[in-house]
Amino acid sequence: MQFTKIAVVALLSGLGLAAPSESLSNLSKRARESVHLANCQSYFAIDYYADDTKDNVFPGNNNECVSSGGFHEGSSASCKFGSGVTFSYFLSSNAHSASQGTQVGTGNNGFHNFSCFRDDNHALYTDGNGNACQSTYVCFDESSNMGKEERLF
């Protein structure tokens, strides 16, 4: 009982919990969801990242699916991850020739809507067979509170 009174007095007097050094908006900027459509030389992969800052490693079998026949520019397609989640997307017919950072499509994973952009072909990871997987397109979760200029590259 005595401890409770002390804690209440401390909170009321401003001596309670310290404020975090980062605002919540900065935290959400750091942990944006993304889906990368990657060219892995001998196959095409679709990789989900809960935090896009970690897009430089293999996301794990549950967060990757292999896309048969490429990325189907100009039409809709979908891919089912090992986790059971399906990512459906549409890419414009000129998506591959679009300049880096141009919005070229949309996507949905059953939880969130995504906006898809032409990426810069940066290396995401090298798979176990030595294939370098490069990001052709990146789709960002639209529920993020970041503006378009903060989302891109």
Short mmCIF file of all heavy atoms in Angstrom, two decimals, residues 12-69:
data_model
loop_
_atom_site.label_atom_id
_atom_site.label_comp_id
_atom_site.label_asym_id
_atom_site.label_seq_id
_atom_site.Cartn_x
_atom_site.Cartn_y
_atom_site.Cartn_z
N LEU A 12 2.30 11.96 -10.29
CA LEU A 12 1.65 13.27 -10.27
C LEU A 12 2.65 14.41 -10.22
O LEU A 12 2.39 15.50 -10.73
CB LEU A 12 0.68 13.36 -9.09
CG LEU A 12 -0.56 12.46 -9.19
CD1 LEU A 12 -1.38 12.56 -7.91
CD2 LEU A 12 -1.40 12.80 -10.40
N SER A 13 3.79 14.18 -9.66
CA SER A 13 4.77 15.25 -9.55
C SER A 13 5.72 15.30 -10.75
O SER A 13 6.61 16.12 -10.79
CB SER A 13 5.59 15.07 -8.26
OG SER A 13 6.38 13.90 -8.37
N GLY A 14 5.51 14.42 -11.73
CA GLY A 14 6.35 14.44 -12.93
C GLY A 14 7.63 13.64 -12.77
O GLY A 14 8.49 13.68 -13.63
N LEU A 15 7.78 12.91 -11.70
CA LEU A 15 8.99 12.11 -11.48
C LEU A 15 8.80 10.67 -11.91
O LEU A 15 9.67 9.86 -11.70
CB LEU A 15 9.37 12.13 -9.99
CG LEU A 15 9.70 13.51 -9.42
CD1 LEU A 15 9.91 13.40 -7.92
CD2 LEU A 15 10.92 14.10 -10.10
N GLY A 16 7.67 10.38 -12.53
CA GLY A 16 7.32 9.01 -12.92
C GLY A 16 8.18 8.50 -14.04
O GLY A 16 9.39 8.65 -14.04
N LEU A 17 7.53 7.94 -15.01
CA LEU A 17 8.25 7.33 -16.11
C LEU A 17 8.89 8.37 -17.00
O LEU A 17 8.31 9.41 -17.28
CB LEU A 17 7.27 6.49 -16.94
CG LEU A 17 6.59 5.35 -16.19
CD1 LEU A 17 5.53 4.72 -17.07
CD2 LEU A 17 7.60 4.31 -15.76
N ALA A 18 10.06 8.10 -17.46
CA ALA A 18 10.74 9.01 -18.38
C ALA A 18 10.11 8.90 -19.76
O ALA A 18 9.69 7.82 -20.18
CB ALA A 18 12.23 8.66 -18.46
N ALA A 19 10.02 9.99 -20.46
CA ALA A 19 9.47 9.98 -21.81
C ALA A 19 10.48 9.32 -22.74
O ALA A 19 11.68 9.48 -22.56
CB ALA A 19 9.20 11.41 -22.27
N PRO A 20 9.98 8.58 -23.74
CA PRO A 20 10.93 7.97 -24.68
C PRO A 20 11.66 9.06 -25.46
O PRO A 20 11.14 10.14 -25.66
CB PRO A 20 10.03 7.14 -25.60
CG PRO A 20 8.64 7.61 -25.38
CD PRO A 20 8.61 8.29 -24.04
N SER A 21 12.86 8.74 -25.87
CA SER A 21 13.66 9.73 -26.57
C SER A 21 13.21 9.93 -28.01
O SER A 21 13.61 10.86 -28.66
CB SER A 21 15.14 9.32 -26.55
OG SER A 21 15.29 8.08 -27.20
N GLU A 22 12.39 9.01 -28.52
CA GLU A 22 11.92 9.10 -29.90
C GLU A 22 10.40 9.20 -29.90
O GLU A 22 9.73 8.56 -29.11
CB GLU A 22 12.30 7.80 -30.63
CG GLU A 22 13.08 8.03 -31.85
CD GLU A 22 13.56 6.71 -32.44
OE1 GLU A 22 13.03 5.65 -32.13
OE2 GLU A 22 14.48 6.79 -33.22
N SER A 23 9.85 10.00 -30.77
CA SER A 23 8.40 10.12 -30.86
C SER A 23 7.84 8.87 -31.53
O SER A 23 8.53 8.15 -32.22
CB SER A 23 8.02 11.37 -31.66
OG SER A 23 8.33 11.18 -33.02
N LEU A 24 6.54 8.64 -31.33
CA LEU A 24 5.90 7.48 -31.95
C LEU A 24 5.95 7.56 -33.46
O LEU A 24 6.09 6.55 -34.13
CB LEU A 24 4.45 7.38 -31.47
CG LEU A 24 4.27 6.98 -30.01
CD1 LEU A 24 2.80 6.98 -29.64
CD2 LEU A 24 4.87 5.63 -29.74
N SER A 25 5.87 8.75 -34.02
CA SER A 25 5.92 8.87 -35.48
C SER A 25 7.28 8.41 -36.01
O SER A 25 7.37 7.81 -37.06
CB SER A 25 5.61 10.28 -35.94
OG SER A 25 6.59 11.18 -35.49
N ASN A 26 8.35 8.68 -35.28
CA ASN A 26 9.67 8.22 -35.71
C ASN A 26 9.77 6.70 -35.63
O ASN A 26 10.41 6.08 -36.45
CB ASN A 26 10.78 8.85 -34.88
CG ASN A 26 11.00 10.30 -35.25
OD1 ASN A 26 10.62 10.74 -36.32
ND2 ASN A 26 11.60 11.04 -34.34
N LEU A 27 9.14 6.11 -34.61
CA LEU A 27 9.16 4.67 -34.49
C LEU A 27 8.43 4.02 -35.65
O LEU A 27 8.87 3.02 -36.20
CB LEU A 27 8.54 4.22 -33.16
CG LEU A 27 9.35 4.56 -31.92
CD1 LEU A 27 8.57 4.20 -30.66
CD2 LEU A 27 10.68 3.83 -31.94
N SER A 28 7.29 4.59 -36.05
CA SER A 28 6.55 4.00 -37.16
C SER A 28 7.32 4.15 -38.47
O SER A 28 7.20 3.33 -39.36
CB SER A 28 5.15 4.61 -37.28
OG SER A 28 5.23 5.96 -37.66
N LYS A 29 8.11 5.20 -38.60
CA LYS A 29 8.91 5.37 -39.81
C LYS A 29 9.96 4.27 -39.91
O LYS A 29 10.29 3.82 -40.98
CB LYS A 29 9.60 6.74 -39.82
CG LYS A 29 8.66 7.88 -40.06
CD LYS A 29 9.43 9.18 -39.99
CE LYS A 29 8.47 10.35 -40.02
NZ LYS A 29 9.16 11.61 -39.87
N ARG A 30 10.45 3.87 -38.78
CA ARG A 30 11.52 2.88 -38.76
C ARG A 30 10.99 1.49 -39.05
O ARG A 30 11.69 0.65 -39.59
CB ARG A 30 12.19 2.93 -37.39
CG ARG A 30 13.58 2.41 -37.41
CD ARG A 30 14.26 2.53 -36.09
NE ARG A 30 13.49 1.90 -35.05
CZ ARG A 30 13.40 2.35 -33.81
NH1 ARG A 30 14.04 3.42 -33.46
NH2 ARG A 30 12.68 1.74 -32.92
N ALA A 31 9.76 1.19 -38.69
CA ALA A 31 9.22 -0.16 -38.81
C ALA A 31 8.10 -0.21 -39.83
O ALA A 31 6.98 -0.51 -39.51
CB ALA A 31 8.75 -0.65 -37.44
N ARG A 32 8.39 0.11 -41.08
CA ARG A 32 7.36 0.05 -42.11
C ARG A 32 7.36 -1.33 -42.76
O ARG A 32 8.41 -1.90 -43.05
CB ARG A 32 7.58 1.15 -43.14
CG ARG A 32 8.91 1.03 -43.85
CD ARG A 32 9.12 2.17 -44.80
NE ARG A 32 10.48 2.08 -45.34
CZ ARG A 32 10.96 2.90 -46.22
NH1 ARG A 32 10.24 3.89 -46.66
NH2 ARG A 32 12.18 2.76 -46.65
N GLU A 33 6.18 -1.86 -43.00
CA GLU A 33 6.05 -3.13 -43.68
C GLU A 33 6.33 -2.95 -45.15
O GLU A 33 5.99 -1.93 -45.74
CB GLU A 33 4.62 -3.66 -43.55
CG GLU A 33 4.27 -4.23 -42.22
CD GLU A 33 2.87 -4.80 -42.27
OE1 GLU A 33 2.70 -5.93 -42.76
OE2 GLU A 33 1.95 -4.09 -41.82
N SER A 34 6.92 -3.96 -45.76
CA SER A 34 7.16 -3.91 -47.19
C SER A 34 7.10 -5.30 -47.79
O SER A 34 7.28 -6.31 -47.10
CB SER A 34 8.53 -3.28 -47.49
OG SER A 34 9.57 -4.11 -47.02
N VAL A 35 6.83 -5.31 -49.08
CA VAL A 35 6.91 -6.53 -49.87
C VAL A 35 7.80 -6.20 -51.07
O VAL A 35 7.54 -5.23 -51.79
CB VAL A 35 5.52 -7.00 -50.35
CG1 VAL A 35 5.65 -8.21 -51.26
CG2 VAL A 35 4.62 -7.31 -49.15
N HIS A 36 8.87 -6.97 -51.23
CA HIS A 36 9.78 -6.75 -52.36
C HIS A 36 9.55 -7.84 -53.40
O HIS A 36 9.47 -9.02 -53.06
CB HIS A 36 11.24 -6.82 -51.89
CG HIS A 36 11.67 -5.62 -51.11
ND1 HIS A 36 12.32 -4.56 -51.70
CD2 HIS A 36 11.54 -5.31 -49.80
CE1 HIS A 36 12.58 -3.64 -50.78
NE2 HIS A 36 12.11 -4.07 -49.62
N LEU A 37 9.44 -7.43 -54.63
CA LEU A 37 9.38 -8.35 -55.75
C LEU A 37 10.78 -8.39 -56.32
O LEU A 37 11.29 -7.38 -56.83
CB LEU A 37 8.35 -7.88 -56.78
CG LEU A 37 6.88 -8.09 -56.39
CD1 LEU A 37 6.44 -7.19 -55.26
CD2 LEU A 37 5.98 -7.91 -57.59
N ALA A 38 11.43 -9.53 -56.17
CA ALA A 38 12.86 -9.62 -56.43
C ALA A 38 13.19 -10.57 -57.58
O ALA A 38 12.61 -11.65 -57.70
CB ALA A 38 13.59 -10.10 -55.17
N ASN A 39 14.13 -10.15 -58.40
CA ASN A 39 14.67 -10.98 -59.46
C ASN A 39 15.88 -11.70 -58.87
O ASN A 39 16.86 -11.06 -58.50
CB ASN A 39 15.07 -10.12 -60.66
CG ASN A 39 15.62 -10.94 -61.80
OD1 ASN A 39 16.04 -12.08 -61.63
ND2 ASN A 39 15.61 -10.35 -62.99
N CYS A 40 15.79 -13.02 -58.80
CA CYS A 40 16.86 -13.82 -58.21
C CYS A 40 17.64 -14.60 -59.27
O CYS A 40 18.09 -15.72 -59.02
CB CYS A 40 16.29 -14.76 -57.16
SG CYS A 40 15.53 -13.92 -55.75
N GLN A 41 17.79 -14.03 -60.43
CA GLN A 41 18.54 -14.58 -61.56
C GLN A 41 17.84 -15.78 -62.20
O GLN A 41 17.45 -15.71 -63.35
CB GLN A 41 19.98 -14.92 -61.19
CG GLN A 41 20.76 -13.71 -60.74
CD GLN A 41 22.10 -14.06 -60.16
OE1 GLN A 41 22.30 -15.14 -59.64
NE2 GLN A 41 23.04 -13.14 -60.27
N SER A 42 17.65 -16.87 -61.50
CA SER A 42 17.02 -18.06 -62.09
C SER A 42 15.55 -18.21 -61.68
O SER A 42 14.89 -19.16 -62.12
CB SER A 42 17.81 -19.31 -61.71
OG SER A 42 17.76 -19.50 -60.31
N TYR A 43 15.03 -17.31 -60.86
CA TYR A 43 13.62 -17.34 -60.45
C TYR A 43 13.24 -15.96 -59.91
O TYR A 43 14.09 -15.09 -59.74
CB TYR A 43 13.37 -18.42 -59.40
CG TYR A 43 14.10 -18.19 -58.08
CD1 TYR A 43 13.46 -17.58 -57.01
CD2 TYR A 43 15.42 -18.59 -57.92
CE1 TYR A 43 14.12 -17.36 -55.81
CE2 TYR A 43 16.09 -18.37 -56.73
CZ TYR A 43 15.44 -17.76 -55.67
OH TYR A 43 16.09 -17.53 -54.50
N PHE A 44 11.96 -15.77 -59.68
CA PHE A 44 11.44 -14.51 -59.15
C PHE A 44 10.82 -14.77 -57.78
O PHE A 44 10.04 -15.71 -57.63
CB PHE A 44 10.39 -13.91 -60.09
CG PHE A 44 10.97 -13.54 -61.42
CD1 PHE A 44 10.95 -14.45 -62.48
CD2 PHE A 44 11.53 -12.29 -61.63
CE1 PHE A 44 11.49 -14.12 -63.71
CE2 PHE A 44 12.08 -11.95 -62.86
CZ PHE A 44 12.05 -12.87 -63.90
N ALA A 45 11.19 -13.97 -56.80
CA ALA A 45 10.71 -14.15 -55.43
C ALA A 45 9.93 -12.93 -54.98
O ALA A 45 10.19 -11.81 -55.40
CB ALA A 45 11.90 -14.37 -54.48
N ILE A 46 8.96 -13.17 -54.11
CA ILE A 46 8.21 -12.11 -53.47
C ILE A 46 8.48 -12.27 -51.98
O ILE A 46 8.19 -13.32 -51.39
CB ILE A 46 6.71 -12.18 -53.81
CG1 ILE A 46 6.53 -12.02 -55.31
CG2 ILE A 46 5.93 -11.13 -53.03
CD1 ILE A 46 5.10 -12.11 -55.80
N ASP A 47 9.08 -11.24 -51.38
CA ASP A 47 9.56 -11.31 -50.00
C ASP A 47 8.86 -10.29 -49.12
O ASP A 47 8.84 -9.10 -49.44
CB ASP A 47 11.07 -11.05 -49.95
CG ASP A 47 11.86 -12.09 -50.71
OD1 ASP A 47 11.54 -13.28 -50.56
OD2 ASP A 47 12.77 -11.72 -51.46
N TYR A 48 8.32 -10.76 -47.99
CA TYR A 48 7.65 -9.89 -47.02
C TYR A 48 8.62 -9.53 -45.90
O TYR A 48 9.32 -10.41 -45.37
CB TYR A 48 6.42 -10.57 -46.43
CG TYR A 48 5.87 -9.84 -45.23
CD1 TYR A 48 5.09 -8.70 -45.41
CD2 TYR A 48 6.16 -10.26 -43.94
CE1 TYR A 48 4.60 -8.00 -44.32
CE2 TYR A 48 5.67 -9.56 -42.84
CZ TYR A 48 4.89 -8.44 -43.04
OH TYR A 48 4.42 -7.74 -41.95
N TYR A 49 8.66 -8.24 -45.54
CA TYR A 49 9.46 -7.77 -44.41
C TYR A 49 8.55 -6.98 -43.47
O TYR A 49 7.94 -5.98 -43.89
CB TYR A 49 10.61 -6.86 -44.89
CG TYR A 49 11.64 -7.60 -45.70
CD1 TYR A 49 11.53 -7.70 -47.08
CD2 TYR A 49 12.72 -8.22 -45.08
CE1 TYR A 49 12.48 -8.39 -47.82
CE2 TYR A 49 13.67 -8.91 -45.82
CZ TYR A 49 13.54 -9.00 -47.18
OH TYR A 49 14.48 -9.68 -47.92
N ALA A 50 8.46 -7.38 -42.22
CA ALA A 50 7.68 -6.63 -41.22
C ALA A 50 8.34 -5.28 -40.95
O ALA A 50 7.67 -4.32 -40.59
CB ALA A 50 7.55 -7.43 -39.93
N ASP A 51 9.65 -5.20 -41.15
CA ASP A 51 10.42 -3.98 -40.96
C ASP A 51 11.35 -3.82 -42.15
O ASP A 51 12.31 -4.57 -42.30
CB ASP A 51 11.21 -4.07 -39.66
CG ASP A 51 12.05 -2.84 -39.36
OD1 ASP A 51 12.22 -1.97 -40.25
OD2 ASP A 51 12.56 -2.75 -38.23
N ASP A 52 11.05 -2.85 -43.01
CA ASP A 52 11.80 -2.70 -44.26
C ASP A 52 13.28 -2.38 -44.05
O ASP A 52 14.08 -2.58 -44.95
CB ASP A 52 11.16 -1.61 -45.13
CG ASP A 52 11.75 -1.58 -46.52
OD1 ASP A 52 11.66 -2.60 -47.21
OD2 ASP A 52 12.30 -0.53 -46.90
N THR A 53 13.67 -1.92 -42.87
CA THR A 53 15.08 -1.65 -42.64
C THR A 53 15.89 -2.95 -42.60
O THR A 53 17.11 -2.92 -42.64
CB THR A 53 15.34 -0.87 -41.33
OG1 THR A 53 14.93 -1.66 -40.22
CG2 THR A 53 14.59 0.46 -41.35
N LYS A 54 15.20 -4.10 -42.53
CA LYS A 54 15.87 -5.40 -42.49
C LYS A 54 15.75 -6.12 -43.83
O LYS A 54 15.76 -7.34 -43.89
CB LYS A 54 15.29 -6.23 -41.36
CG LYS A 54 15.52 -5.57 -40.02
CD LYS A 54 14.97 -6.37 -38.88
CE LYS A 54 15.40 -5.65 -37.61
NZ LYS A 54 14.50 -5.66 -36.57
N ASP A 55 15.66 -5.34 -44.92
CA ASP A 55 15.47 -5.95 -46.23
C ASP A 55 16.78 -6.40 -46.87
O ASP A 55 16.82 -6.71 -48.05
CB ASP A 55 14.72 -4.99 -47.17
CG ASP A 55 15.57 -3.84 -47.68
OD1 ASP A 55 16.70 -3.64 -47.19
OD2 ASP A 55 15.09 -3.12 -48.57
N ASN A 56 17.83 -6.50 -46.10
CA ASN A 56 19.13 -6.93 -46.63
C ASN A 56 19.47 -8.37 -46.25
O ASN A 56 20.61 -8.79 -46.38
CB ASN A 56 20.24 -5.99 -46.18
CG ASN A 56 20.35 -5.92 -44.67
OD1 ASN A 56 19.43 -6.32 -43.96
ND2 ASN A 56 21.46 -5.43 -44.17
N VAL A 57 18.47 -9.11 -45.78
CA VAL A 57 18.66 -10.51 -45.42
C VAL A 57 17.49 -11.33 -45.95
O VAL A 57 16.41 -10.80 -46.20
CB VAL A 57 18.78 -10.72 -43.89
CG1 VAL A 57 20.00 -10.03 -43.32
CG2 VAL A 57 17.53 -10.25 -43.18
N PHE A 58 17.71 -12.61 -46.11
CA PHE A 58 16.63 -13.51 -46.52
C PHE A 58 15.54 -13.46 -45.45
O PHE A 58 15.82 -13.61 -44.26
CB PHE A 58 17.18 -14.93 -46.68
CG PHE A 58 16.13 -15.95 -46.99
CD1 PHE A 58 15.46 -15.90 -48.21
CD2 PHE A 58 15.82 -16.95 -46.10
CE1 PHE A 58 14.49 -16.85 -48.52
CE2 PHE A 58 14.86 -17.90 -46.40
CZ PHE A 58 14.20 -17.85 -47.62
N PRO A 59 14.28 -13.24 -45.85
CA PRO A 59 13.21 -13.06 -44.84
C PRO A 59 12.73 -14.36 -44.20
O PRO A 59 11.91 -14.32 -43.29
CB PRO A 59 12.09 -12.40 -45.65
CG PRO A 59 12.27 -12.95 -47.03
CD PRO A 59 13.78 -13.06 -47.20
N GLY A 60 13.20 -15.49 -44.65
CA GLY A 60 12.76 -16.78 -44.11
C GLY A 60 11.71 -17.40 -45.02
O GLY A 60 11.00 -16.71 -45.76
N ASN A 61 11.61 -18.73 -44.97
CA ASN A 61 10.71 -19.45 -45.86
C ASN A 61 9.25 -19.05 -45.69
O ASN A 61 8.50 -19.06 -46.67
CB ASN A 61 10.87 -20.95 -45.67
CG ASN A 61 12.20 -21.45 -46.18
OD1 ASN A 61 12.76 -20.89 -47.12
ND2 ASN A 61 12.74 -22.49 -45.56
N ASN A 62 8.83 -18.72 -44.48
CA ASN A 62 7.43 -18.32 -44.27
C ASN A 62 7.11 -16.96 -44.85
O ASN A 62 5.94 -16.61 -44.99
CB ASN A 62 7.07 -18.34 -42.78
CG ASN A 62 6.80 -19.73 -42.29
OD1 ASN A 62 6.48 -20.63 -43.07
ND2 ASN A 62 6.92 -19.94 -40.99
N ASN A 63 8.12 -16.16 -45.16
CA ASN A 63 7.91 -14.81 -45.68
C ASN A 63 8.38 -14.67 -47.12
O ASN A 63 8.64 -13.56 -47.58
CB ASN A 63 8.62 -13.79 -44.78
CG ASN A 63 7.95 -13.70 -43.43
OD1 ASN A 63 6.73 -13.76 -43.32
ND2 ASN A 63 8.75 -13.59 -42.39
N GLU A 64 8.50 -15.78 -47.82
CA GLU A 64 8.88 -15.73 -49.22
C GLU A 64 8.00 -16.70 -50.01
O GLU A 64 7.64 -17.76 -49.53
CB GLU A 64 10.34 -16.12 -49.43
CG GLU A 64 10.72 -16.05 -50.91
CD GLU A 64 12.16 -16.38 -51.17
OE1 GLU A 64 12.56 -17.54 -50.97
OE2 GLU A 64 12.89 -15.46 -51.59
N CYS A 65 7.66 -16.27 -51.22
CA CYS A 65 7.04 -17.20 -52.16
C CYS A 65 7.70 -16.97 -53.52
O CYS A 65 8.23 -15.90 -53.79
CB CYS A 65 5.52 -17.03 -52.23
SG CYS A 65 4.95 -15.41 -52.71
N VAL A 66 7.68 -17.99 -54.33
CA VAL A 66 8.29 -17.91 -55.64
C VAL A 66 7.18 -17.64 -56.65
O VAL A 66 6.15 -18.29 -56.65
CB VAL A 66 9.05 -19.21 -55.99
CG1 VAL A 66 9.57 -19.19 -57.41
CG2 VAL A 66 10.19 -19.40 -54.99
N SER A 67 7.41 -16.65 -57.49
CA SER A 67 6.45 -16.24 -58.50
C SER A 67 6.77 -16.96 -59.80
O SER A 67 7.87 -16.83 -60.33
CB SER A 67 6.53 -14.72 -58.70
OG SER A 67 5.69 -14.33 -59.75
N SER A 68 5.82 -17.73 -60.29
CA SER A 68 6.07 -18.44 -61.54
C SER A 68 5.90 -17.51 -62.73
O SER A 68 4.94 -16.76 -62.81
CB SER A 68 5.13 -19.64 -61.66
OG SER A 68 3.79 -19.21 -61.64
N GLY A 69 6.87 -17.50 -63.60
CA GLY A 69 6.78 -16.72 -64.83
C GLY A 69 6.97 -15.23 -64.69
O GLY A 69 6.50 -14.46 -65.51
#
